[in-house]
Amino acid sequence: MNLFLVCLLIAFASCGAKVADESSGNTACELPSSVGGKGVEMFGDSTLTGLAGKLPAKLAGGDVHADVKAGRTTQQGVNALNALPDSAPNVFVVSLAAEDHSSADAYTARIDELMLLLSGRTVYWVTAPGKDVYTTIVNRENAADPSDPEAQSGWQIVDFAAAVKQHPSWWSNGKPTAGGLTNLAQTVGAYLGAFNTTGAPTFPGGGPLGPILPPLAGSPGATSGVITVTSTTSGQSFPLDGERLTNAKTIVSVGGALGMPQRALVIAMATAIQESKLINLKGGPGGAYGLFQQAPPAWGSVAQVTSPTHAATAFYQHLQRINGWQNMALTDAAQAVQRSAYPDAYAQWEQSASVIVAALTGQHVAGCGPQVSVPGNPKAQIAVNAALSQLGVPYSFAGGNTNGPTLGRCVAGTDGWNDCHIVGFDCSGLMLYAWGKAGVTVPHFTGAMWTDPSFTHITDKSQLQPGDMMIFEGNPPGHTGMYIGNGKLIDAPHSGSVVKIESVNDPWYRTGYIGALRPKV
């Protein structure tokens, strides 16, 4: 296998027992698409050549289609999508950066047109190598002022160009090489939460992850076909159907139209669950109304706050005014908007909100991924399953904290030059998050992890246990990933990739391994 799982090589890069061999299974945490039909459409130029053939024949509940033409320009793409039927798939994978000798202003205008044409759909934009100027334009328009009527979409950026900067052999003659195509398929497949025909999740390298257990008791989505919204503290639960499902779709749709990142959608969803259980209440305590229990006239008239679209829009607009909300705990961000008498109540709905948003946006469903049992070590079990819940989340240099993925840091001249626009994890950020859920502090720096006296060093691979943090690359160490059993690890590999599962016997991991760290718990 090609060397594609390498952390950013910068000096300050921040980057036993077996899993119980029990029954395999996976939660059916899928919902109908809010716009368009089922399936996935590959649309664009030669950057996507051969990609559809490397993915499962069916994704997002339907067929995978390909409309890829070498040399297709953005203008030609706009022309083709002008005839987009309502029945076209809800999920699009797009790359349009063929040279058409246009000005930056002209390219910007066509990107805005594409955002309007694909409004309401889930879009994964694949960056093209050698087109950094175009990538910058897409990033800028993707983060445009929400008051701008052209800001109709929040696209996910699949930064293949960053991966090619690290591995130049992955690109030749204007299209991916075999190795590059394999990497791109693995990355896009992880974003899409690829499933095989049996319903079991498939992972890079082929096949399901060893023994996969059913969801832990009380996990959201445990009812096949219908997501069950469940509090993580009180035991309250209800099915997401009928009016509740309709209102959840509205919250996601409005957030997408405003260009809000997925984290904002999760915050809004959890807030609405706490405030109204996703029912459009016609009255409430203190004269508040609607999904978010907003009180007139500060939030609008009674008619406005009982309009789910207006209520969601108002919530997002207030959230945007909160300085640093992207890096806050969910309950703190929600409270900064709502000013509730119960400021900590929102946290109990974060897991369910993440499941709902992921299902409605066609992404990997956090909490509906594989679950593993670690007999005799409940804290390691928490850490491993926390890491697995983030499968498909983008890599972002210096990204991630104990609350989840965050905006990263842009580092000029590296494949992480664009990471300050991407919400995600770097390698150590994923470890910090996963073990943080078990109450264990992990430094956000692999070098500091390696010298931390609170960890036991493991050098013999045969003694690895699930939850051990494997360390790679010399002095200082440059990469880390979590061992999850059965010869597998989970990590956030590098800019342009996503959190994924790999074999510890992959050549790079095998030769780069210098030891592992086990929390003393």
Side-chain angles (χ1 to χ4, degrees):
M1 183 177 293
N2 285 318
L3 170 59
F4 65 93
L5 295 180
V6 185
C7 244
L8 197 60
L9 296 178
I10 301 177
F12 55 91
S14 48
C15 308
K18 298 291 186 182
V19 177
D21 188 5
E22 301 182 27
S23 60
S24 297
N26 192 72
T27 306
C29 293
E30 297 182 60
L31 291 173
S33 299
S34 56
V35 176
K38 295 180 178 180
V40 178
E41 181 82 11
M42 305 284 164
F43 181 86
D45 55 29
S46 56
T47 303
L48 304 181
T49 299
L51 179 58
K54 287 283 188 177
L55 293 170
K58 289 187 178 293
L59 283 173
D63 295 332
V64 175
H65 304 274
D67 183 357
V68 176
K69 297 180 180 178
R72 174 182 268 157
T73 66
T74 49
Q75 183 61 66
Q76 291 168 340
V78 167
N79 294 342
L81 291 179
N82 263 317
L84 186 69
D86 292 340
S87 59
N90 169 259
V91 180
F92 268 67
V93 178
V94 183
S95 185
L96 286 168
E99 181 58 57
D100 58 3
H101 305 289
S102 64
S103 66
D105 288 344
Y107 186 82
T108 300
R110 286 194 286 274
I111 291 299
D112 288 343
E113 289 183 72
L114 288 171
M115 288 183 169
L116 287 169
L117 291 169
L118 294 172
S119 176
R121 286 180 163 83
T122 298
V123 177
Y124 297 91
W125 181 272
V126 180
T127 62
K131 302 291 184 179
D132 288 356
V133 172
Y134 288 171
T135 297
T136 299
I137 290 172
V138 171
N139 282 325
R140 185 184 67 225
E141 296 307 292
N142 200 34
D145 181 352
S147 65
D148 184 342
E150 292 177 335
Q152 294 293 312
S153 298
W155 291 356
Q156 291 282 342
I157 306 299
V158 182
D159 205 348
F160 181 56
V164 170
K165 285 182 179 180
Q166 188 168 348
H167 302 281
S169 64
W170 287 355
W171 184 261
S172 180
N173 297 321
K175 61 182 181 181
T177 62
L181 188 60
T182 296
N183 172 264
L184 182 57
Q186 289 171 336
T187 301
V188 171
Y191 269 101
L192 296 174
F195 286 83
N196 64 25
T197 56
T198 67
T202 55
F203 298 106
L209 162 68
I212 299 175
L213 305 185
L216 300 177
S219 292
T223 302
S224 178
V226 177
I227 287 178
T228 300
V229 182
T230 304
S231 165
T232 57
T233 58
S234 70
Q236 299 179 71
S237 66
F238 56 85
L240 186 69
D241 55 13
E243 179 187 352
R244 289 184 168 115
L245 175 57
T246 299
N247 290 331
K249 289 181 178 180
T250 297
I251 292 169
V252 169
S253 178
V254 169
L258 292 175
M260 301 298 289
Q262 182 163 343
R263 180 65 175 168
L265 274 59
V266 173
I267 294 170
M269 193 69 65
T271 302
I273 294 172
Q274 168 60 23
E275 299 290 1
S276 68
K277 302 301 183 288
L278 293 172
I279 298 295
N280 190 20
L281 300 176
K282 302 306 179 184
Y289 297 81
L291 294 178
F292 295 88
Q293 286 295 277
Q294 296 161 337
W299 292 84
S301 66
V302 172
Q304 287 176 321
V305 297
T306 52
S307 161
T309 298
H310 174 92
T313 300
F315 179 88
Y316 287 124
Q317 289 174 338
H318 279 71
L319 180 65
Q320 285 186 305
R321 299 186 190 117
I322 306 300
N323 185 38
W325 68 265
Q326 298 95 330
N327 296 320
M328 290 182 180
L330 179 143
T331 197
D332 293 337
Q335 173 63 6
V337 176
Q338 298 293 103
R339 302 183 183 278
S340 168
Y342 306 96
D344 299 322
Y346 304 102
Q348 64 185 309
W349 305 111
E350 180 170 3
Q351 189 177 20
S352 285
S354 297
V355 169
I356 295 168
V357 170
L360 286 172
T361 55
Q363 300 173 41
H364 173 80
V365 181
C368 293
Q371 299 280 310
V372 300
S373 174
V374 184
N377 195 337
K379 288 195 173 183
Q381 178 167 307
I382 291 170
V384 170
N385 288 311
L388 288 169
S389 76
Q390 302 304 306
L391 281 169
V393 172
Y395 178 97
S396 188
F397 175 66
N401 60 26
T402 54
N403 298 315
T406 67
L407 287 170
R409 183 190 309 163
C410 289
V411 183
T414 74
D415 60 356
W417 69 277
N418 185 49
D419 284 5
C420 57
H421 301 290
I422 295 174
V423 175
F425 292 101
D426 68 2
C427 57
S428 58
L430 181 63
M431 302 301 102
L432 181 160
Y433 167 79
W435 270 107
K437 292 301 182 184
V440 175
T441 299
V442 175
H444 200 162
F445 171 42
T446 49
M449 290 170 61
W450 187 241
T451 58
D452 192 320
S454 62
F455 301 134
T456 299
H457 282 240
I458 310 295
T459 55
D460 184 352
K461 282 187 182 179
S462 69
Q463 299 302 308
L464 287 173
Q465 297 178 7
D468 289 349
M469 295 174 285
M470 301 180 72
I471 305 293
F472 306 89
E473 293 184 322
N475 186 21
H479 185 60
T480 183
M482 182 178 289
Y483 185 68
I484 57 177
N486 296 300
K488 304 284 187 179
L489 64 83
I490 181 170
D491 68 350
H494 59 77
S495 297
S497 190
V498 295
V499 175
K500 59 176 66 174
I501 292 170
E502 267 295 353
S503 170
V504 298
N505 294 317
D506 175 274
W508 186 84
Y509 290 114
R510 186 176 65 248
T511 58
Y513 175 75
I514 62 173
L517 304 174
R518 182 178 300 162
K520 297 176 181 179
V521 294

